[in-house]
Every structure is written in C-alpha cells, then in structure tokens.
Amino acid sequence: MPHKPAFRRVTQITAATALCSGLALSAALTAPSAFGAPSTEVTLLAAPEVVNLSITDALVLLEAGRTTSVDLTQRYLDRIAAYDDPYGDQPGLAAVILANPDALTTAAELDAERAAGTLRGPLHGVPILVKDNYATFDMPTTAGSASLHTYQTELDSTAVQRLRDAGAIIIAKTNLSEFAWHGTYTLSSERGRTNNPYNQANSASGSSGGTGAAVAAAFAPAGLGTDSCGSIVGPSAHQSLVGYRPTMGLTSVTGIVPLSLRQDVSGPMTTTVTDAALLMEVLAGYDPTDSQTVIANEQDTTSYVEGLSDSALEGQRIGYIRWDYEENPDRPGLAETTALIDQAIEDLRAQGAEVVEVPAFTSEFLTGTLKSGGWIDMRPSIDSFFASTAATWPEGLAELTGDPDELTFADVIADGKSSMTQDDIDYFLSNEDIPNAAYDAAVAEQDAGKAAMDQFFIDNDLDALAMPTSATSATPDWAGTTFCDLGANTGIPTVSLPAGFTSTGAAVGLELAAPRSQDAALLAMSYDYEQATQHRVAPSTTPELAIEAPTPTPTPTTTAGPVETVAPPTAEPTAEPTAVPTPGTTVAPTASAAPPVTAPTPTAEAGGTPTLAQTGATDASWLVTLAVALVAGGAGVLGTTAVRKRRPQA
C-alpha cells in the first residue's frame, strides 16, 4: 500500500489533472472549428526535465512554446510526491507542509492566458514555493504549528500577492522551524524535521530549511524564505543555493507571521543569482501597510537583472573577515570549509576585486556593537499579528486561555502540540507587551549598531565584506551560520553563494555583505562570482524522475512527425562541474526506489489542447461523455480532499 501522505498528494494531483483535462476537452468540443474542419498534424510536447531548471530557463521554454505551465507544475508535484515522504532507503525531505490543490487549475488558466497573448508579469506560469509563515488566502498558514493546522487568512501576504500579480503559481507551502525560531535546524509540530537532500541524515538548517531543501531538490525552481538571523542564508549555504537577505525594509513583511519585526525580512532562495535578482524586482518596493518599506524609495528596484555583470567585481574593494575559529569535534569540516572560502577569496581577486583584511571587524564588534534587538518582542508581535489579521481560527483554540474572542500565542502553546523546547516557550511567554523600557533600550542599542556598521564601510573604504556563511558544514543536529548577526542586527543586505563541497559532499557557502541600500551592487558582484565559479551541483538523492515521451497520434491525412525531446536551455552558458559530490552515506535512489510517475497529459505545441478538427475525430459523443466524467470526477475528489486533515509529525 502506498505511503499515506504521498498517496494523498498523488490523489489530489491526479484529480486536479482530470479536472483540467476535462475543462480543456470541453473547450475543444465547443470550439467553432471543432466539427468539419480539415484535419492537421499534431505535435505533442515532451514533459520537461526540471532538475537544474531555473526560473529563467523555465520562462525560455514557456515563451518558446516548448512546455506548458501545466506540464511544469505536474513535474514538480510529481517530485514532491516522490521525494518528500520516505522512499527507498531515504527518510524523505519533509520539506513541504502542503502542496497547493489548486496549482494545476491555476497553471491551466495561465496557459490559456499565454495562448491568448496575455501575460500577467515576469513570472507568468512559473511555480514558486513559499514558506508557511507567509499568509495565503487559499491555503492555511501554520507557521509550523500543528495547533494552527486550519488557521486560514482572508488575504495574501504582500509578498505572495506580488508573486501572484507577476503570474507565479504558488505550488506549495514549505516547512519551517516552528514560528521561525531555530536557525540551525528545521523542526515543526506540523510536519516534523526537514532533511538535507545532500545527505538526508543531516540538518537542512533553519528556519527556512523547508524552502531550502525543496528548492535544492527541484520541487520548484525557486522559493521564498524569511530571515531574522541566518534563516535564509543558512539553509542556502548548506544546500548550495543563492540565498538573498535584502536591505531591511526593501521587501514587505505584511502578512508574514513575525518572529521579530526589528529583524524580519522576506527574500528569495534560488539556484542562480539571476533568479534572485528577478524575484527581488517582484518583491521589492514600498508597501503602505509596512512603514519600514519607505527605504525602498532609496533605490531603483526595477533594474536588478539589468545591472548584473560578469565584470562587476573589477575594482571593488572587499574586506575579508577571516578569524581563527575553534575546532569543534561535534561540527566537523572547519579545515575544508576554510580552504574553500580561501579559494573563493582568490576567485574574487581573479575577477578584479581588491581584497583586504579587516582586523577591526572583531568578534566583539560583531556581537557587542552590532546589537540584536533581542527576541523580546516575539510573543507580543505574534499576538498583534493574530489581532490585526482577518482569519478563520481553528475551532476552540482561542478559548484555551484568556478572552475567547482573542487568539494569542499563549492559546497556541496551551494546545500542547508545540515542538519548541520548554525553555524557549517559557521565555517567549515571559515577553512583556511593547513598548516597554527594556525593549526601548534594546532598540536604541540596535540603532547605534546600525550606525556603527554604516560608518565601518566608510572608514575602511569598503564596497563589500566577504566571509564564510558557516565556518563548519552540516551535521545531523546542526547546520547554522557564523555571521548571521551582521545582516540581522544591522539591516544591511547579505547573500550566501555556493562555494563548493567538502570531501563528504557537504555544501559550503560564501557570504557577501554590502552597505545599506546597495542591493543592486551586491547582486551584480554575486553574479560575477557565480559566473566565474559555477559551483552548484544538484543533490544526488533526488534525481530527475523518469519521463515518458508522449506518442503523437497520426491524423487520417497526415503522419505526425517524431516528438522532439528538448533539453532545457540555460539563460547563460554554464560550465560543467568536474565532479558530482557524493553526500556522505546517502545513496541515490534507483528508478525503482521512487514511486511510479504518470507522464503529464500531452498538449498541442501551438495553442494548448488540440481541437477535434486537429485530432481528425468525426463523432464527438464519446468525448462529451469523457469530458463530463473528467470534470465531475476531478471536482468531486478535489472537493473531498479540500477538507482533508494533514497529519502532524512529532
């Protein structure tokens, strides 16, 4: 019997496919040319390969008519079904909390719009993942808490709305450390622990580990995370991704369940810098519902992609933060990581950068001067979110403590399902309402640190800083960061870039930081380094699923030509890696280890589903019956599964 969660996802996917197929067939039957028109040859599309497929690659395929959004979405849903739950000898990634049951329907709508010559925006028809602390009007937002299993907001978060406006398909919501708290692993009461696809025994880092693992394993070409201290850059470093933490306030956090509003940012996690720049153009900009976004007016948020250059590092002065880190036997890999980052520094020099030491950047300066706002606003911030967000609450939850007409963090904890430690729970429950004297003092200290960081760049005549994202590599219990305070406490932009792999196959990240509001310059420097090094290699535990090539059906008057299997193009030339890392003790699943995958329903290359005239049919009565059955059956199953109960994991 299939594993129940995987079987449930496959059932939803199959039902949605049936519904979309029925609707498409109905449209074909009612087309003016459906009867009596001359028959023509039909060319069917092969399903696309999606491992290593970037957003820009996907857009090339879609714009050329070489795939459809339905086919792309189906491929990614197939991968979620195959690899997210246990399979073969692997524990599975547990990266996805919920696959969107409407994803294929949305993809079909976007395909129809594209065929009609209408594009919503720069992401039209591209599937994107979002962390499950982003509010979505059509799916619950759990923040990783099993107690919020059915918490349903009426509106999207600003970031999700901007994705949809740009034409993106929200394909799934990803796992996170509960309430985005932990930065070294991803564990929630709603989905359990997320595993690292480069070695599924290891931590995926946190708190955006679900997005990191899912993007690395090609559950979608890109996703969104949040970062309060390392929660975007950490998972990206440990899963060989580009993780971009923008200037504080450049992207809106309205509609995102908060951890600390003094440090929370929304940002992209991608396989390429180009994709990160593209997503930043969609996400960045002033939002009247988020006062901090006024800083977005300091820069042109529409030209990040245009500004990318493979000579951007030339003449840039970069400070290298290289400390004598202490060896920790519980966190191996220090020597190899250090060597890889030293090589990354040489790569920056080779691209024309002037790299200098910055002895003034000490541990005391990082943690003593660049003060955190603390986590003393977490409980009141979450309570404020619940109070100000129109939503349907889980039945009975608000009645557990205090006023039954107010949902609070205390209610969630009183439900007894949290995966957080008791010490953490006690600390957050002890947070006083804000403002208060301790919070005001912490804010003043943090603001002083921000000013000190701004001055540091000026005093040392620096365009950027470089450092390891994490001085050591991932282990089963830990995959953290070394310099998360730098961006989180000061609000300057930082990025983690793939810098290679250790001998055990563990991914290593190079972190770059730039002065406040210099996001375009930081993205351009990142692109230059990426193009010169090309370190990223996809994980071996989640390989491409087998693709069944569609067989074209010849018409009575013509013989259909052979189906061309198209290799996905890349936006820029990329160097072939010299070796694929072998992650520790993991074993890549064989073809038999993954569940069987049904090839997506083939569509006509020009204009979507073929009409009856194109198929050469003369009697449509049986097709009418089929269309009705597909629509009724698909809608019925989706209606049933819409009220499903996703199981929590301890």
Side-chain angles (χ1 to χ4, degrees), residues 31-378:
S33 60
F35 300 96
S39 60
T40 58
E41 180 179 313
V42 178
T43 302
L44 300 178
L45 300 178
E49 293 185 347
V50 294
V51 172
N52 292 319
L53 192 75
S54 67
I55 293 176
T56 48
D57 294 337
L59 289 169
V60 168
L61 291 176
L62 289 166
E63 290 165 7
R66 294 159 73 182
T67 192
T68 66
S69 294
V70 167
D71 281 350
L72 273 177
T73 302
Q74 184 68 68
R75 289 296 293 169
Y76 290 123
L77 291 172
D78 288 344
R79 292 182 64 78
I80 293 171
Y83 295 130
D84 207 46
D85 289 306
Y87 62 95
D89 61 353
Q90 301 291 344
L93 300 185
V96 169
I97 284 180
L98 177 65
N100 186 352
D102 295 325
L104 284 167
T105 301
T106 302
E109 292 171 356
L110 291 163
D111 279 336
E113 291 175 14
R114 182 181 289 277
T118 301
L119 297 181
R120 298 186 190 181
L123 299 176
H124 190 97
V126 177
I128 301 291
L129 299 150
V130 297
K131 188 175 178 179
D132 199 22
N133 55 352
Y134 286 77
T136 46
F137 83 90
D138 53 352
M139 289 178 281
T141 299
T142 72
S145 170
S147 300
L148 297 175
H149 177 74
T150 58
Y151 178 80
Q152 181 67 65
T153 63
E154 292 183 7
L155 300 175
D156 282 333
S157 59
T158 297
V160 169
Q161 185 60 58
R162 288 180 176 177
L163 287 179
R164 294 196 208 263
D165 289 346
I169 301 161
I170 309 303
I171 191 170
K173 302 194 75 175
T174 56
N175 198 25
L176 65 155
S177 306
E178 195 157 334
F179 285 105
W181 170 231
H182 275 284
T184 65
Y185 57 83
T186 291
L187 175 68
S188 74
S189 57
E190 177 68 5
R191 186 66 176 102
R193 172 196 141 118
T194 297
N195 299 314
N196 190 318
Y198 287 93
N199 182 337
Q200 293 188 27
N202 281 345
S203 168
S205 189
S207 65
S208 306
T211 301
V215 174
F219 289 179
L224 300 190
T226 60
D227 191 313
S228 304
C229 195
S231 291
I232 285 176
V233 295
S236 297
H238 292 292
Q239 291 167 108
S240 197
L241 297 175
V242 176
Y244 194 74
R245 181 194 160 94
T247 292
M248 179 77 182
L250 182 58
T251 55
S252 175
V253 294
T254 293
I256 298 174
V257 181
L259 176 58
S260 174
L261 291 175
R262 294 289 302 173
Q263 300 183 183
D264 294 348
V265 299
S266 164
M269 301 170 71
T270 64
T271 59
T272 70
V273 175
T274 302
D275 284 1
L278 177 58
L279 282 176
M280 282 302 301
E281 290 188 7
V282 171
L283 298 172
Y286 177 68
D287 176 7
T289 67
D290 182 350
S291 61
Q292 293 191 93
T293 59
V294 68
I295 199 172
N297 295 329
E298 295 182 0
Q299 54 181 298
D300 181 0
T301 62
T302 66
S303 59
Y304 296 136
V305 175
E306 182 183 347
L308 300 179
S309 168
D310 59 8
S311 61
L313 284 165
E314 189 170 343
Q316 299 297 298
R317 183 174 163 88
I318 299 177
Y320 180 22
I321 304 173
R322 191 183 193 282
W323 292 347
D324 292 327
Y325 309 102
E326 292 186 9
E327 187 80 49
N328 184 337
D330 294 329
R331 299 175 188 173
L334 174 60
E336 288 192 68
T337 298
T338 300
L340 287 169
I341 299 302
D342 285 344
Q343 179 57 53
I345 295 302
E346 293 308 311
D347 293 332
L348 294 175
R349 286 195 176 103
Q351 292 305 106
E354 177 190 1
V355 182
V356 298
E357 294 184 8
V358 282
F361 199 99
T362 62
S363 177
E364 190 284 328
F365 179 76
L366 178 64
T367 59
T369 301
L370 309 183
K371 287 282 191 178
S372 169
W375 308 104
I376 56 180
D377 57 342
M378 188 261 207

Side-chain angles (χ1 to χ4, degrees), residues 357-417:
E357 294 184 8
V358 282
F361 199 99
T362 62
S363 177
E364 190 284 328
F365 179 76
L366 178 64
T367 59
T369 301
L370 309 183
K371 287 282 191 178
S372 169
W375 308 104
I376 56 180
D377 57 342
M378 188 261 207
R379 193 277 305 163
S381 294
I382 290 175
D383 286 354
S384 178
F385 177 88
F386 287 147
S388 62
T389 302
T392 301
W393 304 340
E395 186 176 356
L397 187 61
E399 302 170 8
L400 296 181
T401 69
D403 188 342
D405 294 326
E406 295 180 357
L407 180 63
T408 66
F409 179 72
D411 291 325
V412 175
I413 296 304
D415 197 33
K417 298 175 182 176

Side-chain angles (χ1 to χ4, degrees), residues 484-538:
C484 82
D485 305 275
L486 175 58
N489 297 356
T490 69
I492 64 171
T494 66
V495 60
S496 184
L497 303 166
F501 298 85
T502 68
S503 61
T504 64
V508 174
L510 168 70
E511 187 168 357
L512 299 178
R516 192 178 319 280
S517 294
Q518 293 300 306
D519 294 82
L522 181 57
L523 286 164
M525 286 185 278
S526 300
Y527 178 83
D528 192 354
Y529 171 79
E530 171 197 57
Q531 294 302 297
T533 56
Q534 296 293 335
H535 283 302
R536 185 176 188 274
V537 178

